[in-house]
Amino acid sequence: MSSSYGQHVKLSIFGQSHGEAIGVTLDGFPAGMSIDMAHLQAEMARRAPGQSLLTTARKEADAPEFVSGVLDGRTTGQPICILIRNTNQRSRDYGDGVDLVRPGHADYTGHVRYFGFEDWRGGGSFSGRLTAPLVAAGALCSQWLAAQGVTIACHIQQLGGMADASFMQADSGTDYSYLKQMHLPVLTQGLDAQMEAAAMAARNDCDSIGGVLECMVTGLPAGLGAPFFDSVESQLSHLLFSVPAVKGVEFGEGFGFAALRGSKANDAFRMAKGRVVTETNHSGGVNGGITNGMPVIFRCVIRPTPSIAQRQRTVSLKAGENADIEIHGRHDPCILPRAVPVIEAMTAIAILDMWKERQGCLM
């Protein structure tokens, strides 16, 4: 299992959905930062289950325990280990071992990959439950980045067939901190209520719904990232695609570039208040895999939650024949609200790793 990431800030996650605990180790985090526990708990609460009818009813406190790397509330520079206890597992909802494999899940592929010895309860290591320690680690990274003037904002750009405004046309100087206070964060006033109604309709149909999250990082200096394999897009995409529900990522205009000519796609450079800027930001703040000082903007597609209560076709591994399955248990009809802090966390982790690499170039 590949459970580690990073070159300069090294991160490793551990645990399973229905195990005793899950957690993360963060090595290379800067020393001396006073941890804002209120900020950390607020980020954990945004990802936590049981917030509304749109999220799973599984109740977890998700209280992070610092096992190492912190003394008197400050980071020591040694590896930070965070433990999160699992307290509300219901393994009986998943039957007795792997037989009827759930469509859209990793039941079959995980069973093959680990020769039948995988922890199958609640999805085991493939579960979105493992994003909780990632949010804890990301909260530390985002707090450090905020002290450097870096801000990460994320909203639901699309849910089902409804689309919100885009950061591409928005004022990057606006304070978007209000998005963190919204259960369904959107830029367009009133759209969150319409999106909630669409998600509830899917729930009432024993179904689920997906969408698109858009993220913007402001305050970044030019010069982060490196070609070819450590480009900004490569490193962010690596982490984003690690989130179980993410099935696509695009930067700036993304696939919209296919309809543009070069004369429209290029971002003209200008001088403004003594610094280099671009008139437009079609490239999403990245040229040649390196930040150019403009806001980094990207979008990721979040698939509909695969666990739905409708009868679906599958196979029985034990009988070796076709079968039907009805999935029971506690599941999100719409994962988008809880995915927002996860995407922000992954972004912060990747940015801090690139930031430390850039600092190393000066030594």
Side-chain angles (χ1 to χ4, degrees):
M1 176 177 173
S2 178
S3 58
S4 300
Y5 168 86
Q7 301 180 58
H8 305 273
V9 177
K10 299 178 181 179
L11 174 147
S12 181
I13 58 173
F14 57 87
Q16 288 79 39
S17 177
H18 285 212
E20 182 177 340
I22 52 179
V24 62
T25 299
L26 197 58
D27 193 359
F29 192 87
M33 188 185 83
S34 180
I35 297 177
D36 185 341
M37 288 302 297
H39 166 73
L40 177 59
Q41 294 285 5
E43 292 302 294
M44 297 298 293
R46 294 170 66 209
R47 196 222 68 94
Q51 300 177 41
S52 73
L53 292 176
L54 297 185
T55 62
T56 173
R58 177 175 177 174
K59 296 287 187 179
E60 293 285 0
D62 282 354
E65 302 175 23
F66 285 87
V67 179
S68 64
V70 176
L71 180 64
D72 298 329
R74 289 183 178 273
T75 57
T76 64
Q78 280 75 51
I80 298 171
C81 182
I82 301 174
L83 197 66
I84 299 173
R85 306 284 179 177
N86 289 327
T87 61
N88 194 220
Q89 311 96 313
R90 275 184 12 193
S91 299
R92 64 182 181 275
D93 289 339
Y94 296 87
D96 183 22
V98 177
D99 180 23
L100 300 179
V101 291
R102 297 170 296 169
H105 281 274
D107 295 344
Y108 172 66
T109 52
H111 190 69
V112 174
R113 176 67 177 83
Y114 296 109
F115 308 100
F117 295 104
E118 76 284 359
D119 185 341
W120 48 269
R121 302 167 301 166
S125 297
F126 297 97
S127 173
R129 178 81 185 125
L130 271 294
T131 61
L134 291 172
V135 169
L140 297 180
C141 295
S142 64
Q143 183 185 336
W144 189 89
L145 290 170
Q148 321 308 315
V150 177
T151 301
I152 300 171
C154 184
H155 72 113
I156 300 174
Q157 203 275 323
Q158 182 178 331
L159 187 150
M162 289 176 290
D164 191 17
S166 171
F167 282 139
M168 294 291 289
Q169 289 78 43
D171 180 6
S172 61
T174 300
D175 181 3
Y176 291 105
S177 59
Y178 68 89
L179 293 172
K180 290 182 179 291
Q181 310 305 317
M182 301 178 69
H183 183 51
L184 291 173
V186 292
L187 303 179
T188 305
Q189 187 174 3
L191 185 60
D192 55 330
Q194 298 177 44
M195 287 184 171
E196 183 171 1
M200 286 301 297
R203 179 181 184 272
N204 294 336
D205 290 336
C206 297
D207 214 333
S208 60
I209 194 169
V212 176
L213 299 182
E214 185 178 52
C215 191
M216 178 171 67
V217 188
T218 57
L220 289 175
L224 300 184
F228 278 84
F229 305 118
D230 289 332
S231 69
V232 173
E233 297 99 329
S234 300
Q235 296 192 68
L236 277 169
S237 295
H238 187 162
L239 280 178
L240 294 172
F241 277 119
S242 300
V243 179
V246 172
K247 301 301 287 185
V249 177
E250 64 175 4
F251 289 81
E253 293 291 344
F255 287 99
F257 276 121
L260 299 178
R261 291 188 173 186
S263 57
K264 299 296 183 182
N266 290 341
D267 299 309
F269 286 105
R270 308 298 295 167
M271 294 299 300
K273 298 180 180 179
R275 62 184 290 261
V276 176
V277 299
T278 60
E279 289 184 341
T280 54
N281 194 22
H282 298 299
S283 292
V286 183
N287 293 131
I290 300 171
T291 57
N292 62 19
M294 299 297 287
V296 170
I297 299 176
F298 65 84
R299 286 166 295 283
C300 54
V301 176
I302 307 294
R303 63 159 295 158
T305 314
S307 292
I308 58 176
Q310 294 184 16
R311 182 178 291 270
Q312 301 177 81
R313 294 189 298 275
T314 187
V315 297
S316 167
L317 295 183
K318 293 179 180 178
E321 61 186 23
N322 294 330
D324 290 336
I325 186 174
E326 290 184 16
I327 299 175
H328 303 287
R330 302 163 294 178
H331 307 286
D332 302 70
C334 180
I335 201 67
L336 291 169
R338 297 175 62 207
V340 168
V342 177
I343 297 304
E344 292 176 357
M346 291 302 216
T347 302
I349 293 166
I351 293 296
L352 181 55
D353 191 43
M354 287 186 276
W355 193 291
K356 289 203 68 177
E357 186 276 335
R358 176 62 172 162
Q359 287 181 324
C361 290
L362 300 176
M363 298 179 179

